[in-house]
Structure formats: C-alpha cells, structure tokens
Amino acid sequence: MLRDSGTLDNIIAHSVAVTDIAMELGRAMAARGEKVDLRLLEAGSLLHDIGKTEGLKGGHESEVSHGDIGAEMLNKMGYRRLAEIARAHMFSKIFEKGALDTWEKKLVYYADKRVNHDKRVRLSERLDYLTNRYPRGAEMFRKARPMLLRMEKEIFEKAGMTI
Ligand SMILES: [Fe+2]
C-alpha cells in the first residue's frame, strides 16, 4: 500500500522503525494481558504516514495535515480503524481529549515520537529536533514534553519494561 501510494523510501524506512518500537511495546503489553490488537497495531504503524508524500507534493503544511490526508486515503480504501490511527498520530493530538483513546493509537503516536528519520532516539532528542526544525511549534513541543513523559511512563509500566 505504501508503494502503491508512491510513498518515498525515507518515509517507508521511518515507518518500519516506528513499527518496530510500537510492536515491541505492544507485544510486551499483550503478553501482560493488556488489550492490544497487534495486527491492527502493525498495519497502523506501517501506514501512519501514508499521507505524508501526498502532503509534501501538494505543498501542504505537511506537519499539520498529513495525518488527515492519510486518514482520507485509508477511509477511501475502507480501512476506518487504520484511518483513525493515521489521524491520531499528529503531534497536537496529545492535547485533544479522547484523541488517543486506544492502545493502538497511543502506541503509534508514542513510537513515532521515538524515531528521528529512521533512527531510534529518546523522547528528549526527538523533541529537540522538532523544536529546531519547526520553531513555530516550540511552545507546543514544550507544553507536550511532560505529557509525553507521562505517556511513556504509562506505556512502559503496562509493558513491564524500563525506559
Ligand atoms: Fe507523521
């Protein structure tokens, strides 16, 4: 699906790295009895940026809209739950009550914040990178930091893992 939609190689590499993290955590959580749909999680993390190439091509403000573009593409293909995951991975969703209401959405959201390009990094490194790359979002990234750290703690506790 990524190839068919013309997704750039670097975005595919990013998506695979995000999927590795999401699945590692998701599997550990599922093994401890949390309700995580691992098939949905895998497809959702692989496809969360399916709208990104289209967003870049269209000259959209990609960081604002590629989640919605991806959701629209996935909805058109009939994948409603995957569409919800793509829509929910955008950075600002952490401030939206109820936007991250399933483990699959939350894990894709979180794993995406642990990868820079295709490299696994700590949250703080990713936040620093984003602040440099998108200075207009600096305030948002600053506000999100403690919330992301709380989310990280919650996920790792449920997974029985140390950060
Ligand atoms: Fe994205």
Side-chain angles (χ1 to χ4, degrees):
M1 282 164 73
L2 289 172
R3 294 272 178 226
D4 286 351
S5 68
T7 297
L8 299 167
D9 285 345
N10 61 320
I11 296 174
I12 293 181
H14 163 79
S15 304
V16 169
V18 169
T19 303
D20 284 345
I21 296 180
M23 290 301 285
E24 219 173 285
L25 293 166
R27 280 199 193 97
M29 286 172 62
R32 289 164 63 92
E34 286 299 322
K35 268 186 84 109
V36 184
D37 182 334
L38 294 173
R39 272 166 50 89
L40 177 64
L41 180 63
E42 183 169 38
S45 45
L46 278 171
L47 295 169
H48 76 279
D49 266 344
I50 196 168
K52 185 127 183 174
T53 308
E54 197 54 40
L56 292 171
K57 263 195 287 190
H60 295 277
E61 181 90 351
S62 70
E63 283 308 308
V64 175
S65 59
H66 74 263
D68 290 339
I69 295 171
E72 212 173 290
M73 292 164 74
L74 291 163
N75 266 327
K76 264 193 205 135
M77 292 181 240
Y79 299 116
R80 192 184 50 78
R81 289 193 301 166
L82 295 176
E84 280 181 18
I85 291 174
R87 196 188 303 283
H89 93 275
M90 299 310 291
F91 199 96
S92 63
K93 294 290 176 180
I94 199 163
F95 303 114
E96 217 175 277
K97 210 172 181 318
L100 298 167
D101 58 351
T102 66
W103 278 127
E104 295 82 16
K105 287 182 202 168
K106 216 183 242 193
L107 284 168
V108 173
Y109 181 94
Y110 171 75
D112 183 46
K113 313 300 172 283
R114 288 291 312 275
V115 176
N116 232 7
H117 304 298
D118 58 356
K119 195 173 135 251
R120 200 181 275 222
V121 295
R122 294 190 67 85
L123 269 183
S124 57
E125 197 176 319
R126 176 70 172 154
L127 285 166
D128 292 346
Y129 169 84
L130 287 170
T131 305
N132 271 321
R133 173 111 160 70
Y134 306 102
R136 276 189 304 167
E139 181 62 13
M140 173 174 75
F141 300 132
R142 193 188 58 74
K143 271 200 199 136
R145 190 178 292 249
M147 298 167 84
L148 268 163
L149 288 169
R150 265 202 303 280
M151 180 188 287
E152 179 170 68
K153 193 164 174 268
E154 183 196 13
I155 290 171
F156 276 75
E157 270 171 18
K158 297 280 185 199
M161 292 161 77
T162 45
I163 299 165

